[in-house]
Amino acid sequence: GDRASAVGAHLFVPQVCLLMDMKILMCSVGEDSELFFSLYHYSALESGNSGQGQTISEEFVVELTAQGMPHDISKIGNIRTLFADIPVGMLPDLYVVVRVLRKGKLKFDAASTGSAAAAQAASSSYGAKKGTSYRRPFAVAVQGLPHPNDPSFVYNKEMEYTIPIYASSQESNFS
């Protein structure tokens, strides 16, 4: 008999990679912190009033000490990740999003950052068990990436950005 064979059609979509190299966090969190880096794609609708957005990558996590340094000293100057398989068509509307969480006591006490004994005393005054660490939102940062049609945009070229960090003055307002 006759055999039918199915041939799958594959659509090739040009893709690029983005190498992100974190140099320094110039923000005083005052406690251990975690930074979550991700790529976000936002596309405006035809009306221009609203749009659609979605995170298109997994999060890259960087853990830092209260002094803003990596826990592993071999990571100093060597904190990087590769965001791969980004469709070229998404480049015009692509953003790097950074969420900053602080880890520590439920309430932050600036006076307790001076010594371990003061930190332990402050921790017990808030009812936290010894060794208990809470993760709380601290700040967020967003950086748009250059449009491929921008004359300054060059593939395979290193670009450096200073990303402003926005922190709410009231933790309860962070959302």
Side-chain angles (χ1 to χ4, degrees):
D2 291 336
R3 290 188 169 189
S5 67
V7 176
H10 296 282
L11 178 63
F12 175 72
V13 177
Q15 297 178 336
V16 296
C17 297
L18 173 68
L19 176 65
M20 190 212 62
D21 187 2
M22 183 186 130
K23 299 291 184 190
I24 188 168
L25 174 67
M26 295 181 59
C27 172
S28 177
V29 177
E31 296 177 288
D32 283 4
S33 58
E34 293 177 335
L35 285 66
F36 294 84
F37 294 86
S38 61
L39 295 182
Y40 186 83
H41 178 254
Y42 177 83
S43 59
L45 298 177
E46 298 271 334
S47 64
N49 293 335
S50 61
Q52 297 176 324
Q54 66 180 0
T55 302
I56 64 163
S57 70
E58 292 184 14
E59 291 183 310
F60 172 64
V61 181
V62 176
E63 294 184 356
L64 301 175
T65 65
Q67 293 76 30
M69 303 296 287
H71 288 280
D72 179 358
I73 60 170
S74 70
K75 294 285 188 184
I76 295 174
N78 194 21
I79 300 174
R80 60 180 59 104
T81 190
L82 183 68
F83 292 108
D85 303 330
I86 304 165
V88 171
M90 288 188 171
L91 286 179
D93 305 306
L94 201 58
Y95 298 85
V96 175
V97 176
V98 186
R99 295 183 308 119
V100 182
L101 299 183
R102 64 178 166 210
K103 294 171 29 177
K105 298 176 300 299
L106 193 54
K107 291 187 178 182
F108 179 70
D109 182 9
S112 72
T113 59
S115 72
Q120 185 175 0
S123 178
S124 63
S125 69
Y126 293 118
K129 296 177 188 174
K130 185 177 180 177
T132 301
S133 181
Y134 298 94
R135 297 171 69 215
R136 292 141 10 259
F138 178 75
V140 68
V142 178
Q143 174 65 52
L145 297 177
H147 193 288
N149 294 337
D150 184 331
S152 66
F153 181 83
V154 179
Y155 283 101
N156 297 324
K157 178 185 173 205
E158 183 176 316
M159 294 175 276
E160 191 168 310
Y161 296 97
T162 300
I163 306 173
I165 297 174
Y166 300 98
S168 175
S169 58
Q170 299 243 329
E171 195 169 291
S172 60
N173 292 339
F174 195 98
S175 57

